[in-house]
Amino acid sequence: MGRLRKKRMHKNDRSGFKKRKTARRTRDVDQIQEDLKKEQILEILRQPADGDLPGSGEFYCIHCAKHFTDSTCFNHHLRSKRHKQQAKLLQEPQYTQAEAEAAAGLGTYKKAPAVVVPLMENVQKLRGALKDDSNPDVEGILAEHPAAAALPLAAAAAAAAPVAV
C-alpha cells in the first residue's frame, strides 16, 4: 500500500486573511504627522466621548493613533518600546514629491528641516488644560520640548553645510 495523503488542516485556509489584515492596519506616518499640527491636536482632544470607541475615546495616543480602554493600559503603552519607536519615527520629516524629484535628478536636493513632535506629556497637559479652560495657551504648552533648545542649532548647522548632488 502507498502512503496516505497528508491532510491540509489549516495550512491553506486563507478565508479571513484579508479581513484580519485590514483590521490590524494603522494610520500611516504622514497622516499622523498631519494630526500633530496644533489645530488638529485641539480638534482631536476636544472630541466628545464616543461609546463605540475603547474607553469611550478618552484614552487616545496621538503619536500611535490608537485608543485604549483605561488609564492603566494607556500609561503602560506610553512606556512601551512600540510607542517610543513611533515617536522617534514621527520626528523625521515627511517625504515630499519635490524631494522625490530631486532624488531622481530633476532638481537640486535640499535637506528637509527637522520636525518637532510634541511630547505625550505636553499633550496630556493640553488635555488637562482643555478640561479646565476652553481657550488654553496651546503655543506655550506644545512648545515645552526638551530638545527644542538644541533643535535650532542643529537645523542651522544643517542649513549652513553645503550638500552636493
Side-chain angles (χ1 to χ4, degrees), residues 2-152:
R3 187 173 169 188
L4 294 175
R5 185 179 73 122
K6 179 182 171 185
K7 294 184 180 181
R8 296 184 199 124
M9 298 299 277
H10 299 287
K11 182 179 177 188
N12 292 327
D13 182 22
R14 302 194 43 94
S15 58
F17 177 72
K18 286 186 179 179
K19 188 176 185 181
R20 288 188 305 270
K21 186 178 177 184
T22 55
R24 288 189 304 255
R25 179 144 172 78
T26 58
R27 297 186 65 162
D28 291 330
V29 175
D30 57 343
Q31 293 173 326
I32 295 173
Q33 283 180 341
E34 290 295 322
D35 287 346
L36 288 172
K37 293 185 177 165
K38 293 175 182 84
E39 303 84 26
Q40 292 293 106
I41 289 177
L42 289 175
E43 185 179 316
I44 290 171
L45 293 179
R46 285 185 176 156
Q47 288 182 351
D50 186 4
D52 294 336
L53 297 173
S56 298
E58 185 177 348
F59 307 104
Y60 179 70
C61 178
I62 296 177
H63 295 100
C64 302
K66 195 170 185 180
H67 290 276
F68 296 94
T69 55
D70 58 0
S71 63
T72 307
C73 294
F74 182 64
N75 291 331
H76 180 69
H77 165 74
L78 293 179
R79 293 187 305 267
S80 70
K81 183 177 181 179
R82 177 172 280 176
H83 175 78
K84 291 174 185 175
Q85 286 176 343
Q86 182 73 9
K88 188 174 183 179
L89 183 65
L90 287 171
Q91 290 178 351
E92 296 176 7
Q94 289 182 7
Y95 190 70
T96 62
Q97 182 63 33
E99 190 174 357
E101 290 173 356
L106 299 176
T108 59
Y109 179 75
K110 294 180 182 176
K111 189 172 182 177
V115 178
V116 177
V117 177
L119 295 176
M120 199 64 203
E121 294 84 20
N122 296 344
V123 174
Q124 294 295 357
K125 287 181 190 176
L126 183 61
R127 181 176 282 148
L130 283 174
K131 288 181 182 178
D132 299 338
D133 186 18
S134 62
N135 196 6
D137 179 27
V138 178
E139 297 287 332
I141 293 174
L142 293 180
E144 297 173 10
H145 196 282
L151 188 63

